[in-house]
């Protein structure tokens, strides 16, 4: 891998915090290099540190040790973040919400409107520019949140279980739209999910994490052709990978003596 | 709703008149509504009542604006730096628990007989409910908005303008609605203790001259102003709920 292709370099990053009864390890040292334009899924049970890892990369939390290097050339906002909930500002219209990162970065109104309207079109919310978030369904709100995270064009998009609050049918649609957006924008995407199907369907590589303590167990390459669609879900290789991911999550892969120190 | 309110008012006026006539109450104890009305008209024509209303109103508005601004500012500071809140709480509580009628003479001694001590007193009573509304709004505002602000690296001002103030707005306005009644009381107390103009001043001079009509007239005028004041803030508060209430 050449130097310029590396987008995210994670080296020995770990996270502990102090609780009443001593130190708790939220994340054991993780080392991985993510290439530019790669789509990574992170899958694991609750408490495996997958959200923690995302928060560390985004700068929302600080690591207890190790380094995270982003190859984003000193950009003020290297990452876009899509939260589990849409986190739209309820007093702003959809257009204003999508435009928010641009407005707060001093971009002119005309230019911001142009970018925001394009994104609203891309996520399929044309006609709802003037609507308030409360007037939209959960899936539509999450689309608006995705549009917002893309509006100031961050090279990296971090998504923390973005579709966990929407119904299954909507989720399938949103997954396909996400793939389309990824292909047209060339973003580096890290998506946290607890659905192995979703993880395998979307990603180039799947990071499998296990809980107590949270750690990266293994990384699988996903050798499924692009673009993906309904055919992918019929591919035996897809089913083999999903089954493998399930096995990874079920079998405890940790040598238990390791925790004794 | 409004019709029923008007009906209630008319019924009260009728009852008032009836009591005065039926029991033949002497005018120095309880004048009838017509007498009070005539007295108010007389004051408008001969005693610059408009000027007095203006004085009291401007004191209330100025004090209310200062108190609200200070309350919002302190709320932001306290929510951001809990240590500052712990430091300031005893002083604020002392100021709050001290009877306003006891603080007023002190303010008059320091600031003279003009509008300044009244404005300060009104600002003091307005400050507390607004400040606690702001703190509550910020504390219980969604934590995920904080994450959004951090990811977008918003400046403190952008955070305040786009996230903190709007999300705290419903509870700030609830605090402001409470403060309207307190502000009215503070204005009257300030003017009763020492003033040479304003509705409170007319009230106290009516008392000194045993002019019951003036006293009742001022009470009614002050109630009407206070009521209108409260309704304006309430209207803004209710209007804002549709947009600003967090679901």
């Amino acid at each position: 891998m050449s130097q310029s292709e590396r987008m995210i370099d994670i080296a020995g990053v770990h996270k502990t915090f102090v609780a009443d009864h001593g130190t708790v390890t939220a994340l054991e040292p993780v080392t991985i290099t993510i290439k530019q334009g790669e789509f990574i899924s992170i899958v694991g049970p609750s408490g495996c540190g997958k959200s923690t890892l995302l928060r560390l990369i985004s700068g929302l939390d600080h690591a207890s040790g190790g380094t995270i290097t982003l190859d984003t050339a000193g950009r003020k906002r290297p990452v876009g973040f899509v939260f589990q909930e849409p986190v739209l500002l309820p007093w702003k219209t959809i257009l204003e919400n999508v435009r928010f990162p641009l407005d707060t970065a001093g971009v002119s109104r005309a230019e911001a409107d142009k970018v925001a309207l394009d994104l609203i079109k891309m996520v399929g919310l044309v006609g709802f520019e003037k609507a308030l978030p409360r007037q939209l369904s959960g899936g539509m709100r999450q689309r608006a949140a995705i549009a917002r995270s893309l509006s100031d064009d961050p090279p990296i998009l971090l998504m923390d279980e973005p579709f966990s609050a929407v119904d299954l049918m909507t989720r399938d649609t949103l997954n396909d739209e996400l793939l389309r957006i990824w292909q047209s924008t060339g973003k580096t995407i890290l998506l946290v999910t607890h659905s192995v199907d979703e993880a395998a369907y979307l990603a180039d590589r799947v990071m499998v994490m296990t809980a107590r303590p949270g750690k990266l167990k293994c990384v699988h390459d996903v050798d499924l052709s692009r673009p993906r669609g309904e055919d992918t879900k019929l591919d035996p290789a897809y089913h083999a990978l999903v089954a493998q991911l399930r096995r990874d999550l079920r079998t405890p892969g940790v040598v238990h003596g390791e925790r004794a120190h | 709703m409004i019709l029923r309110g008007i009906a209630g008012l008319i019924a009260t006026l009728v009852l008032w008149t009836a009591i005065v006539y039926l029991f033949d109450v002497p005018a120095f104890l309880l004048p009838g509504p017509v007498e009070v009305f005539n007295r108010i008209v007389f004051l408008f024509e001969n005693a610059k009542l408009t000027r007095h209303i203006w004085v009291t109103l401007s004191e209330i508005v100025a004090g209310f604006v200062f108190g609200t601004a200070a309350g919002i500012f302190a709320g932001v500071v306290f929510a951001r730096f809990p240590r500052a809140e712990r430091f300031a709480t005893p002083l604020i509580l002392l100021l709050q628990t001290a009877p306003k009628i006891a603080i007023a003479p002190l303010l008059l001694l320091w600031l003279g007989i003009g509008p300044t001590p009244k404005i300060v007193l009104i600002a003091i009573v307005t400050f507390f409910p607004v400040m606690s509304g702001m703190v509550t709004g910020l504390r219980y505002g969604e934590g995920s908005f904080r994450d959004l602000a951090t990811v977008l690296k918003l400046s403190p001002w952008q955070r305040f303008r786009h996230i903190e103030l709007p999300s705290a707005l419903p509870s700030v306005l609830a605090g402001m609605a409470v403060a309207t009644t307190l502000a009215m009381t503070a204005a009257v107390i300030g003017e009763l203790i020492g003033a040479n103009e304003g509705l409170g001043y007319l009230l106290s001079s009516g008392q000194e001259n045993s002019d019951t009509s003036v006293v009742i007239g001022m009470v009614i005028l002050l109630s009407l102003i206070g009521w209108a004041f409260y309704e304006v803030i309430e209207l803004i508060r209710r209007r804002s709920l549709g947009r600003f209430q967090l679901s």
Side-chain angles (χ1 to χ4, degrees), chain B residues 97-136:
Chain B
T97 46
K100 299 305 158 294
I101 203 151
I103 301 179
L106 193 59
L107 291 173
L108 264 92
L109 278 174
W110 286 342
L111 303 167
I113 206 166
T116 320
K118 288 91 179 175
I119 292 172
V120 171
L121 191 65
I122 294 165
I124 288 173
V125 298
T126 308
F127 171 82
F128 192 73
V130 174
M131 185 271 291
S132 49
M134 189 70 198
V135 170
T136 311

Side-chain angles (χ1 to χ4, degrees), chain A residues 55 58-60 76-79 81 83 87-93 96 100-101 103-105 132 134 148 152, chain B residues 142 144-148 150-155 158 161-164 166-168 241-247:
Chain A
R55 292 179 67 87
S58 69
L60 282 172
K76 192 191 169 203
R77 294 171 183 162
V79 303
F81 206 112
F83 302 92
V87 200
L88 299 172
L89 301 174
W91 45 86
K92 289 187 187 287
T93 64
E96 288 166 343
F100 187 53
D103 285 346
T104 50
L132 290 173
R134 73 183 68 238
R148 176 182 61 194
D152 60 349
Chain B
E142 278 189 62
S144 41
F145 287 151
R146 265 194 295 277
D147 283 349
L148 178 68
T150 309
V151 166
L152 293 178
K153 297 191 165 70
L154 298 188
S155 68
Q158 287 174 328
R161 152 101 177 67
H162 292 289
I163 295 180
E164 291 169 343
S167 55
L241 283 186
R243 196 160 239 234
F244 291 92
Q245 200 168 39
L246 300 175
S247 42

Side-chain angles (χ1 to χ4, degrees), chain A residues 132-147:
Chain A
L132 290 173
R134 73 183 68 238
Q135 295 165 308
L136 268 57
S137 70
M140 291 161 90
R141 277 182 228 162
Q142 203 52 283
R143 284 169 207 232
I146 292 171

Side-chain angles (χ1 to χ4, degrees), chain B residues 1-57:
Chain B
M1 187 60 206
I2 293 170
L3 277 179
R4 228 177 292 169
I6 291 172
L9 278 181
I10 291 174
T12 312
L13 288 177
V14 170
L15 189 68
W16 178 7
T17 317
I19 289 171
V20 170
Y21 280 93
L22 286 178
F23 299 102
D24 202 14
V25 185
F28 66 87
L29 280 183
L30 181 64
V34 179
E35 271 170 84
V36 171
F37 181 77
N38 287 339
R39 199 85 184 100
I40 292 177
V41 172
F42 174 82
L43 289 175
F44 264 116
E45 285 166 350
N46 301 300
K48 299 190 195 126
L49 183 55
T50 329
R51 163 81 192 154
H52 291 289
I53 292 176
W54 164 249
V55 166
T56 304
L57 262 185

Side-chain angles (χ1 to χ4, degrees), chain B residues 170-214:
Chain B
S171 59
V172 166
L173 282 166
M176 286 170 75
V178 170
T180 55
T181 352
L182 301 175
M184 289 303 299
T185 313
V188 175
I189 287 175
E191 289 180 350
L192 281 179
I193 302 241
N196 43 27
E197 38 185 4
L199 294 177
Y201 162 74
L202 284 186
L203 189 73
S204 75
S205 61
Q207 185 213 348
E208 277 162 24
N209 301 330
S210 301
D211 193 339
T212 318
S213 293
V214 169

